[in-house]
Every structure is written in C-alpha cells, then in structure tokens.
Amino acid sequence: MRELEIALSAARAAGATYADVRVVRGAEEQLSVRNGCVDQASSGSFSGLGVRVIVNGAWGFAATGCVDEAEAASVARKASDIARASAVARKHDAALAPAERVVAEWSSPCVVDPWSVPRARKIDILREACAKAMASGADVRIANAGMRAIDEEKTFASSEGSFIAQHSVITASSVSAMAVGGGEVQIRSYPGTFDGNMRQAGFEWVESLDLPAHAGAVGSEAQALLSAEQCPSMKTTLIIGSNQMALQIHESCGHPVELDRVYGTEASYAGTSFLTPEKLGKFRYGSKHVNLYADSTIPGGLGTFGYDDEGIASGRSDLVRSGLFVGYLMSRETAAALGTSSNGAMRASGWDRMPIIRMTNICLEPGRESLASLIRGTEDGVFVDGIRSWSIDDRRLNFQFGAEIGWRIRNGELAEMVKNPTYTGITPEFWGSCDGVAGRDEWVLWGVPNCGKGEPLQIMRVGHGTAPARFRNVKVGVGRW
Amino acid sequence: MVGKERAFESIKEAFASSRADMTEIVLISERDSLTRFANSEIHQNTSVDDVTIMVRAIDGTREGWASTNQLTPEALADAAARALEMASVQPANPDFPGLAEPAQYEDAHGYDETTAAFGPMERAEAVQSIIRQADAHKLNASGALRTRVREIAVANTLGVCAWHVGTDASLVTVVMESFEANAGSGYAEAGAMRVGDLDFQALGARAVDKCIASMNPVAIEPGEFVAVLEPSAVSTAMEMLAYMGMNGLSFTEGRSYASGRLGAKVTSEMVTIIDDWRHPRMAPLPFDFEGVPRKRVPLIQNGLAAGVVFDRAIAARAHTKSTGHAVPGGEEKGGYPIHLAMATGISSVEEMVAETERGVYVTRFNYVNPVHPTKTIITGMTKDGTFLIENGRITKPLRNLRFTESILDGILGSVQAISREAELIPALGDGGLYSAPAIKTGRLNFTGASA
C-alpha cells in the first residue's frame, strides 16, 4: 500500500526518529430481535489511517478517515507537529525496546464467511430463540437475541522496516431474557453477558452456540429469580462459575498486570496498579492453585493476533505461577523501562486511536477439580455465575462484583436459588483463598468485547480462558437490600 | 471538517441514489484533539479527523441502517443500498412511527472559534501550567485536555434539514503524592463550550491543594454516614440515574425507577433534575439525531418523578411524543439525556461542612456501576480527596471508601443541602456536560475500604 510508504517518508522528513502507520478497513453487521420484532439491522463499513511518531523524543499521533496519498502525508506531518508540542512538556525521551523487523501476513480461522449466510436465516434463528425465551416465563417481559459479525483488515508498517497484513473475522450471538415483577428486574443470558461469547471465527461459531436450544433455560431462570430469596449477607465459601470468572480475572489480574498502569500513564483515568515492579517474582498474588497467563495465540480468542500494533509477534507468557506474581503485559516503551523486551500487548481499538497496552487472552490455568467436586467439598456456601455488576478501586485491590444468578450450597449440594448475589474482597487476599480450580473439561474461552481504557476512550476486544474455582471466607451479599 | 454546504451536497447525492421509500441521513464530522499527561509530562497526544454518515432506509414499515466514514458518492450510494438491504429482510413493523416531519430549530450559538483553533502547542502550554504547580510541590501530575469541534447534519426525504456546528473542551487532572497505597491525591475537572472558560491555573491549584490536604489518610470503620459530595460526585450519581432509568425504553418496559411512578416521591423534595440544552454554559444542541427539536424535560421535580426522555419509536409505543432525545445510529432505543442539570440550592460547601457534626467529605466517585437498576443501587469508590468532618470542620484525610447505596432512596432521598453554585462536569465517554452542584446527604452507606 503506497499510503503507508508515503506516511513513513513524510514522518521522516518532518523529523521523526521513529514512525509507524496503520491502515484499517472493515465491515460490521449487527442484527437483533427484541420480543420477536427486528430491533436493529445495521451494516457498517469503516476505513482510516493513523500515524504515530517520535519527534524530539516525544510522541505524536494523528489519524484520518480519508485514506489517500495526499492525506497520508498530511497526517504524518500533523502527527510530527503534535509530537513537537508534546516535547514542550517532556521530562525524558521515549525509548523503545528492540523489535525484530517483520514482514508477514496473518489471518484468523474462518470456515463459513458470515456474510455468505442469508440474513433471513440469521433473523429466523434470533426470532426462534426470542420466542422460546419469552415462552418460558409468565413474567419474562423482554427477550433479546442478537448477532454480530466483524471483518477487519489491518496493515502495519514501521520506519524500522516491518510490514504486516492481518485479517480477522469475528462473530457473536446471544440470547437474554428479562423478567420484571414486584419491583424486581432479573436477567439471564446465554452463552454469557456482553454479546454472548464473541470469537474470532466464522458463522460456524454461531451455529455451534445453538441459541434456540438454550433460550428456554434462559427464560425460566430469569422467571425463577423473581421469586428467589435475596442472597444473604455473610462470610462464606464462594464458587465462581466460568462466565463470572472471566470478569474476576479481567478486573483483578488482567488490568493490574498492564505495565503502563504500573508506570502511572493511566493514573488520571483507568488508574494505577498494586503490582509494582519490586514485587515481580516475589509477591504472593494467590494460592498455589492460581496459575494465570497471557496467550495471544489461542485459536479463536478475541485477544488473539499474529502481531500486535507495534509489530511484536504474539505469544504466551506467565503472569502468576503457583500463586507467585511473575509477569506483565508490555509495550516496547514500558519493556525498555523494565529492562526487558515486549511481549506484544500493544493494541489500538481502531485506526483512530494510539495503541496502548491491552489484555490479550488472560487465562486461568485449569486445575484438577470439577465444578461437581468443588460443590461436594463445600459444606455451606454460594455458587454464582453470569456477569452483572463490577467495580474495583484504582489500584485494583478492593473489588465488588455482582452475578446474574446464585445458589446456596448446603452439605455439598446445590440448594435454593438466590437473587442479586454480590461479593467483595481485596485482590491478593481473595486469590490467596482459592483452594480449587476445575479442570480442562470445564475450561471455557470467553470473548469480552467491551474493555474500556485510555483517553480518548478505546473499547477493546479481549479474551479470557476460565474454569470454575472455589474461594474460602468471602463476604457475599454486600449492601442493604 | 466537512462544512454545511458540502454536508448537504453529500446528503442530496445519497438521497438521489437511495431506492428506499424514505431515507434519513445523519452526518457527523468531528475533529477530536486530546493531550494526555502523566508523570508530569505529555505522553500521549492525538488529533483525529473523521466523518460518520448513518443512513436509515425505510421500506414500507421496515427500517434498516448502514454507516460509512467515506464521503465519496460511491460510498454513500453503497451505504444507501446496504441500508435498504437490511430493511428488506425484516418482517413488517406495524409500530413504525415514520420519520420526523420538518421543524424549526432555535439558533444554538454553540461554536467558539478559539476552541476550534486551539492547537497542540496551546494544549501543551495549558498542561504545562498544571505540571509546573505540581513540580513546585514535588507532586505527580496527570490528566487530559480535550478540545473538539463537531458538525452535525440531520436530513430526511420528508424535508427535515438540521445543521449544527459546536465546540466543547474539558480538562481532568489528578495530582498524586506517589503511586503508593493511600498516598495523597487531588482532583479537578471542568467542561465548557469555550476552552477559554477553563481556568487551567485554578484547576491545577485545586488538585495540588487537595493532594497536599489528603496526605497521610487514616482508616475509618465503614458504615452509614452523612456526606458532603462535591459536584463531580453528584454528576456521577446523575449519570448513573440517567443510564438506569431516564430512558423511554426502560420506562415503558417497567425497568426504570420512574415506571408507574410519575408524580410519586422518589427523592428529597429539594432535588430537581432537568435535561435542558439551553442551560447556561452547556454545549448546546437544539435537535436530536432524528431531527426532532430538543425539549426541556423535567425528570425529577421537587422530589417527584416528573418524566423521562423519548425518541420517536419508543414515544409512539408509549402513546406520547418524542422529547427530541434520539441518539445516533438507532442502537440505543428510547433516547438519552445529554444536558442534565440539577437545580442549585441556597447553601455553600463551607456551610454544609460547618453544619455537620460527623460525616465524610467526598471529592469524587470512581469506577461506579449499577448493582440493581430499578432500586438505583450503585457501588464505587471515593477517590482523590476523602475527608472526615467532625464538629463542623474537616479534621483529617481518610483512606478511600467503597460505597454501596441507592441513589434515590439513599443519596438523593436524604439531601439536606444543595450549593448555590454548580459546576459543568464532562460526563463519561461522549455523554455531554452535566451541571451539578455540591450536596449534603444524610445517607451514604460505606461497605468497604481501600487496602
């Protein structure tokens, strides 16, 4: 692509000591059905070019939706002017850890092109799922079913000679039911919250989810929650299901291991982190059962890619090993500050954003238990699942999360359903109380499409591989109900 | 930027290429510039130019949407064709209310040339004025200064033809003693239509002073407290309320606090919240993204649930009229308030503190999310300046506290005083500017504390 070469040349001519440019083009289709009627049918296309430069030791970024040769040069010069202004308020020069020169192509797996499937068929699936969810409870007031497909082509070039083309196809499909009555609103979702479980795959992923087959359970659980008892307030044993575990990992592990947060560059917005560099390799983050890792190579993962937006190859790296904190998510600049090399976590949400450190697929390694054995080993406790509410402090320590549904556990068996379950804790104490993780059979790769970070805001797609796990002595049922 | 003439030329071209029964186009052209600083230096600095064109094609009673960010005739024709394609696969929608009819719009006067022309060097100098103050006290300054100019055109084949150009600017700064646990931290934020209305020096001084005052905080046992909330914290509560219940769709589906309760008492009678695009100093926008003139909508009036905002589709379902609050793109149905203002009172923050025997002073809330929307229960942390009030004065800084409380039953249900002055606070994301006073509430339930 000639625009990339022109942008790099213009940046060099404007004094850039480093420059990279991304051209992103793509399309998105969104269909949703609400209570049997088509609620949303939209088709989007987008393209743009973003240039990032270092001039006088400082960063500048400019972007335009108009991808042509003249605009590429103009945007590169604008980015350079912005960098020169950044240098006015600079205390140290931006330094990058070394990177290999890469010329490569990468594509995500896709068996059935989602654009090849007739929209009428997609709507039929959604309407059937909606109808089954609605029919499953007298108080199910709203049933929603949706599908999304994204096709994105990204080309990256840097002043260090890298040139990388990547192509990604993403699909998602979900159904939810909302029961309303007696001052309560209760929601259940399948396969999970946030667009279900988004994946880098073709329409075969949507087929495999089989929304209509699960919609009835979604409706009947939402209905049952209306008359369930409020989750009691107590300290008890908590078992977290796989979907809720994605949230737990995201907030209390994924974010605090982002090295830009650690170095304070998100201090005014996303916050900082308690996992400061002197803790690396020394700090006990969790119990011996807790093994967490970042892996941007998992097929289908929403945090999977060939190369990040600095041209660093994807890979796997440990974050927590047998409870010990051992690794960060890094960019070239933060890795240089730590005296190491980047593990490829630098991504931008689109052509119009400067890359920042983002989660890839942050995963909990499977253990040796099963959900059934975790419940059997619990005399008294609560089992929760389905992401509903989340809040955590700016250093990622004090958290409070809520789930869609819960059940009391009595004498090693699931007992009555409870509604509005919440729980709270302090991150290392909480993970330190983990005494069992379910195994590979119950490990699920979740796609989370809505991780917010950065200014201007960047909504990023990330992944989490999770299995149910058990935690002792946790405060549940927070607040006044 | 695209400019009015070119915007409508493009829209006409798209109308000409559309084969739909009716067509609506929303064009948003934007320059969004943001200088971000941390560790007392600029580390991210961006400027993005983009245009978004959203086409709504009507085929009988069916509607389809398509978008593009390319303004070429080919791209517009393609978007129009895709929108019609999306409409054609649907079953008929007997509730479709049609597109908006032509209307007259008030002049908004929302554009400020200085803000539109505010460049990277001027942003850097503004940021430097804050950094210098932090440096003088060996503190760590971070934050973001954003300026934006935005053109919006809305037109449809029934004759709606609305155009607006506006500017806005915002500054957020956090000044910290260090990144250690329970270190001192201060905050200031402000939004305005004109960048010249942002007093960078004063905002920096406020954050520095608060950081110094909040050093060496002590822990207190969580529990229910009287609390004095600065405008930033009040704005967050208003934002959460808007998200959970001021939307026409949640209202008609029985999910809103106002569902079935219009005219009923929902907060202290001291509380009045309106959505008013003409409110002084707001970044005005006289119409919504369907081309309907925006109305001033009382949402809570003297403590009584007074209304919610609507777009056309949900208004028709509720047998009422649109209030002019449709959002772009048709994704979020029901409408959303982007010019929220809480009525001011007769008190001052100093008087609120002086009249408090024991309470907590809160600068801002952080990472707040709903716990239970219909009960308006939210949770979040205090941040960047939490203090203990004892016997009518602030006596010591406190470690940050987690609260879990109902906005209506707790925070706004127990309001004891509202300040005479309000501040313009930027809402999260693209949520507009909110005008919020400080309040004193008799009830804020703290359920945890920072480690």
Side-chain angles (χ1 to χ4, degrees):
Chain A
M1 272 207 238
R2 188 143 165 75
E3 292 91 356
L4 286 93
E5 291 166 20
I6 287 169
L8 292 175
S9 296
R12 279 193 208 96
T17 51
Y18 172 83
D20 57 38
V21 53
R22 279 174 299 118
V23 171
V24 183
R25 299 179 200 272
E28 175 164 4
E29 182 181 278
Q30 194 157 357
L31 295 169
S32 71
V33 169
R34 193 176 182 88
N35 290 0
C37 297
V38 174
D39 189 53
Q40 177 75 7
S42 66
S43 156
S45 73
F46 54 88
S47 60
L49 174 150
V51 182
R52 187 177 70 140
V53 300
I54 298 175
V55 176
N56 295 345
W59 286 107
F61 176 83
T64 176
C66 183
V67 185
D68 63 32
E69 295 180 7
E71 195 73 1
S74 166
V75 165
R77 286 191 290 270
K78 187 175 176 185
S80 303
D81 287 345
I82 290 171
R84 248 183 285 282
S86 302
V88 168
R90 182 188 88 234
K91 289 199 166 66
H92 78 283
D93 286 353
L96 303 179
E100 284 183 23
R101 177 179 171 273
V102 176
V103 177
E105 291 185 5
W106 180 88
S107 290
S108 67
C110 175
V111 177
V112 180
D113 177 4
W115 270 265
S116 72
V117 179
R119 291 194 185 97
R121 169 159 161 62
K122 294 174 181 171
I123 288 172
D124 283 348
I125 294 171
L126 298 178
R127 293 184 81 187
E128 186 184 354
C130 255
K132 288 191 171 167
M134 286 292 283
S136 300
D139 297 310
V140 174
R141 191 87 59 90
I142 300 138
N144 252 318
M147 265 182 217
R148 278 177 78 186
I150 301 167
D151 188 303
E152 185 179 280
E153 288 180 352
K154 178 164 59 180
T155 313
F156 167 91
S158 78
S159 57
E160 296 172 344
S162 288
F163 190 96
I164 300 164
Q166 302 190 81
H167 179 212
S168 174
V169 175
I170 294 168
T171 55
S173 192
S174 63
V175 59
S176 67
M178 186 183 296
V180 182
E184 273 291 353
V185 174
Q186 293 294 336
I187 301 173
R188 281 295 282 146
S189 315
Y190 169 83
T193 323
F194 312 136
D195 286 332
N197 186 5
M198 191 175 260
R199 186 157 292 208
Q200 289 198 67
F203 197 75
E204 68 279 5
W205 174 241
V206 173
E207 299 271 22
S208 73
L209 290 171
D210 196 359
L211 295 194
H214 295 84
V218 160
S220 57
E221 285 187 349
Q223 175 69 46
L225 278 164
L226 283 185
S227 51
E229 288 296 313
Q230 174 63 37
C231 179
S233 182
M234 60 184 177
K235 274 201 166 182
T236 191
T237 296
L238 176 71
I239 297 177
I240 297 179
S242 170
N243 186 226
Q244 179 74 12
M245 185 58 76
L247 172 74
Q248 184 68 49
I249 290 170
H250 182 96
E251 300 287 4
S252 69
C253 175
H255 279 306
V257 298
E258 294 163 345
L259 194 50
D260 54 351
R261 294 180 67 110
V262 174
Y263 285 141
T265 54
E266 286 288 333
S268 68
Y269 185 69
T272 59
S273 171
F274 71 99
L275 290 172
T276 43
E278 78 282 358
K279 292 190 176 82
L280 190 62
K282 298 172 189 161
F283 180 75
R284 182 141 291 282
Y285 174 92
S287 73
K288 65 180 182 182
H289 302 280
V290 179
N291 294 287
L292 293 151
Y293 60 93
D295 189 348
S296 49
T297 70
I298 304 172
L302 216 46
T304 297
F305 45 80
Y307 301 86
D308 78 353
D309 287 341
E310 293 189 307
I312 303 296
S314 58
R316 173 181 163 140
S317 57
D318 284 343
L319 304 169
V320 174
R321 178 59 36 198
S322 299
L324 197 68
F325 162 55
V326 296
Y328 287 115
L329 294 167
M330 293 177 284
S331 62
R332 291 180 66 186
E333 188 175 16
T334 55
L338 195 67
T340 184
S341 53
S342 171
N343 57 355
M346 199 65 162
R347 289 193 291 158
S349 62
W351 58 266
D352 57 345
R353 294 290 186 267
M354 196 168 172
I356 55 177
I357 293 178
R358 304 310 299 245
M359 290 175 223
T360 56
N361 302 300
I362 309 302
C363 306
L364 176 65
E365 204 164 273
R368 294 178 178 172
E369 299 272 359
S370 66
L371 179 57
S373 71
L374 291 170
I375 292 169
R376 263 200 314 278
T378 303
E379 192 175 333
D380 186 74
V382 177
F383 168 56
V384 300
D385 205 4
I387 301 166
R388 172 163 153 177
S389 171
W390 57 97
S391 173
I392 189 165
D393 74 24
D394 60 319
R395 300 181 73 240
R396 301 277 145 177
L397 284 167
N398 180 314
F399 66 81
Q400 182 174 316
F401 300 142
E404 286 183 347
I405 193 165
W407 288 268
R408 287 299 308 272
I409 302 169
R410 299 181 196 279
N411 303 316
E413 291 183 352
L414 277 189
E416 72 274 17
M417 185 183 287
V418 291
K419 68 183 177 186
N420 306 320
T422 54
Y423 63 98
T424 188
I426 302 295
T427 297
E429 291 172 14
F430 181 79
W431 283 103
S433 76
C434 177
D435 74 345
V437 178
R440 176 67 60 185
D441 290 350
E442 290 168 292
W443 191 89
V444 178
L445 181 62
W446 293 98
V448 175
N450 60 342
C451 175
K453 185 179 171 184
E455 293 173 291
L457 184 62
Q458 301 196 40
I459 304 295
M460 181 53 75
R461 298 185 283 263
V462 305
H464 297 292
T466 69
R470 186 173 59 201
F471 302 83
R472 300 291 189 180
N473 208 27
V474 178
K475 185 176 176 184
V476 303
V478 190
R480 187 193 295 106
W481 291 87
Chain B
M1 304 303 293
V2 171
K4 185 176 183 179
E5 198 174 321
R6 188 173 165 218
F8 282 108
E9 271 174 25
S10 299
I11 287 170
K12 271 186 199 165
E13 284 172 13
F15 283 163
S17 67
S18 175
R19 296 166 69 185
D21 296 336
M22 290 184 281
T23 306
E24 175 193 86
I25 292 184
V26 175
L27 183 153
I28 302 171
S29 168
E30 185 173 84
R31 172 167 292 171
D32 188 352
S33 303
L34 187 140
T35 297
R36 216 173 175 208
F37 55 108
N39 296 311
S40 300
E41 64 177 349
I42 293 173
H43 67 302
Q44 289 166 15
N45 204 347
T46 74
S47 184
V48 178
D49 286 279
D50 195 19
V51 58
T52 305
I53 303 106
M54 286 161 277
V55 181
R56 176 156 57 148
I58 309 302
D59 177 12
T61 60
R62 307 173 296 182
E63 57 182 322
W65 295 81
S67 66
T68 176
N69 70 340
Q70 303 301 308
L71 211 49
T72 62
E74 298 77 23
L76 292 170
D78 176 60
R82 281 188 284 118
L84 185 57
E85 245 179 79
M86 297 307 283
S88 65
V89 295
Q90 302 173 29
N93 174 10
D95 296 329
F96 176 63
L99 296 179
E101 297 288 339
Q104 295 292 317
Y105 309 109
E106 289 182 42
D107 288 338
H109 305 297
Y111 179 77
D112 175 55
E113 181 58 39
T114 305
T115 306
F118 208 68
M121 203 56 84
E122 289 155 305
R123 296 198 304 274
E125 284 162 8
V127 162
Q128 269 291 63
S129 72
I130 295 166
I131 291 173
R132 277 192 211 102
Q133 294 184 71
D135 283 350
H137 294 275
K138 296 187 166 46
L139 301 173
N140 183 314
S142 61
L145 168 58
R146 180 180 204 175
T147 58
R148 202 162 52 153
V149 55
R150 186 152 79 151
E151 294 171 330
I152 299 169
V154 182
N156 69 34
T157 49
L158 297 183
V160 161
C161 188
W163 188 79
H164 172 79
V165 60
T167 54
D168 61 80
S170 62
L171 177 98
V172 172
T173 183
V174 174
V175 174
M176 302 173 81
E177 180 186 8
S178 73
F179 299 144
E180 295 298 312
N182 302 308
S185 182
Y187 184 74
E189 69 175 330
M193 188 201 94
R194 297 178 183 82
V195 72
D197 287 347
L198 301 180
D199 186 339
F200 301 112
Q201 193 71 25
L203 289 163
R206 189 198 290 188
V208 166
D209 290 348
K210 191 152 278 181
C211 174
I212 292 167
S214 67
M215 290 177 184
N216 304 309
V218 300
I220 57 167
E221 199 58 35
E224 194 170 296
F225 279 82
V226 169
V228 173
L229 310 182
E230 283 199 0
S232 288
V234 175
S235 176
T236 299
M238 289 162 62
E239 192 170 336
M240 284 290 115
L241 209 50
Y243 174 66
M244 292 188 289
M246 290 175 171
N247 155 287
L249 182 62
S250 64
F251 175 76
T252 55
E253 291 181 339
R255 298 180 282 120
S256 160
Y257 68 86
S259 299
R261 295 180 73 194
L262 288 184
K265 187 175 186 297
V266 291
T267 67
S268 152
E269 64 187 18
M270 297 176 75
V271 175
T272 291
I273 299 175
I274 57 167
D275 187 79
D276 185 4
W277 69 272
R278 297 185 201 85
H279 192 276
R281 297 193 300 140
M282 286 272 186
L285 179 58
F287 53 84
D288 72 1
F289 293 91
E290 293 180 307
V292 176
R294 277 179 197 276
K295 290 183 180 154
R296 177 183 186 274
V297 181
L299 297 154
I300 295 174
Q301 186 83 48
N302 302 119
L304 307 180
V308 295
V309 299
F310 285 101
D311 60 14
R312 286 175 54 78
I314 305 306
R317 197 183 297 174
H319 307 293
T320 184
K321 289 191 171 173
S322 168
T323 57
H325 287 81
V327 299
E331 281 186 36
E332 299 296 329
K333 295 283 196 301
Y336 196 79
I338 58 172
H339 298 100
L340 278 186
M342 182 184 288
T344 51
I346 56 169
S347 191
S348 70
V349 171
E350 292 74 22
E351 287 163 354
M352 292 180 205
V353 171
E355 290 160 10
T356 302
E357 192 179 322
R358 190 165 193 271
V360 174
Y361 185 97
V362 177
T363 297
R364 67 178 290 215
F365 293 144
N366 185 55
Y367 211 146
V368 177
N369 258 324
V371 175
H372 195 294
T374 42
K375 297 179 195 292
T376 67
I377 297 172
I378 57 173
T379 188
M381 299 290 296
T382 66
K383 191 171 179 289
D384 302 323
T386 308
F387 302 92
L388 185 64
I389 304 169
E390 292 175 299
N391 301 317
R393 61 189 191 89
I394 289 174
T395 54
K396 56 191 78 157
L398 296 176
R399 293 185 180 186
N400 290 323
L401 292 158
R402 170 168 296 286
F403 69 95
T404 306
E405 183 59 275
S406 163
I407 298 173
L408 294 180
D409 296 341
I411 298 169
L412 297 184
S414 307
V415 169
Q416 297 173 358
I418 299 179
S419 67
R420 287 185 289 271
E421 307 291 333
E423 294 180 10
L424 222 48
I425 306 291
L428 271 178
D430 199 14
L433 297 174
Y434 291 172
S435 178
I439 65 168
K440 178 181 171 184
T441 176
R443 189 177 126 184
L444 186 58
N445 189 25
F446 293 111
T447 53
S450 63

